[in-house]
Amino acid sequence: MFDLQGIGKILIVIGAIIALFGVIFFFGAKTPFIGRLPGDIYIKKENFGFYFPITTSIMISILLTLLFCLFRR
């Protein structure tokens, strides 16, 4: 019915991704390039701030894609 080994691998990968995001957010203030890449949108006005890390999101997406390709093989 269910492939328990496949589900176990998926859970391990999801846990690793969550741990990776935790490390990135914990050390994010100390690493100068996370969230401050060229192309990240940051608008700050008097009572309003808008931040959209588009380039950072693309870079994380590329890294996760490469990671998943490695685990798939």
Side-chain angles (χ1 to χ4, degrees):
M1 231 179 193
F2 292 106
D3 182 22
L4 293 178
Q5 291 179 349
I7 292 172
K9 288 180 184 179
I10 290 171
L11 289 174
I12 289 173
V13 170
I14 290 172
I17 291 171
I18 291 172
L20 179 67
F21 278 124
V23 168
I24 288 172
F25 285 119
F26 182 73
F27 292 110
K30 297 175 185 167
T31 54
F33 59 89
I34 297 291
R36 295 189 180 112
L37 293 174
D40 289 345
I41 299 170
Y42 183 66
I43 300 170
K44 185 169 181 161
K45 294 192 177 181
E46 193 173 310
N47 294 325
F48 177 74
F50 177 75
Y51 178 67
F52 186 67
I54 190 164
T55 306
T56 303
S57 299
I58 291 171
M59 294 301 293
I60 290 173
S61 175
I62 290 171
L63 288 173
L64 287 176
T65 301
L66 293 173
L67 184 71
F68 282 136
C69 285
L70 289 174
F71 277 116
R72 194 174 356 165
R73 295 174 189 224

